[in-house]
């Protein structure tokens, strides 16, 4: 991330159990779900970048 990055809204559909678990984690850590989503996306992108997939995320 850099200072020029702009946050944009995203809509997705999740299972109720995932939302319930996410709410518990967010509450326990005292962070928002958005923070957890951004952290998860960073980890996901890093995983695929490390696999050197040619999907334009390098």
């Amino acid at each position: 991330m850099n200072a020029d990055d702009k946050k944009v809204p995203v809509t997705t559909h999740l299972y109720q159990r995932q939302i319930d678990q996410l709410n518990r984690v967010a509450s326990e850590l005292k962070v928002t779900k958005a923070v957890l989503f951004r952290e998860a996306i960073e980890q996901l992108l890093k995983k695929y970048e490390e696999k050197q997939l040619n999907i334009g995320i390098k």
Side-chain angles (χ1 to χ4, degrees), residues 7-40:
K7 293 178 187 172
V8 296
V10 175
T11 301
T12 188
H13 293 84
L14 301 169
Y15 296 105
Q16 185 61 53
R17 118 187 115 68
Q18 292 172 316
I19 294 298
D20 294 342
Q21 290 173 312
L22 188 64
N23 284 333
R24 284 194 298 273
V25 171
S27 177
E28 182 71 24
L29 296 176
K30 296 180 179 20
V31 297
T32 65
K33 289 182 293 237
V35 167
L36 296 175
F37 276 119
R38 286 191 295 269
E39 181 181 318

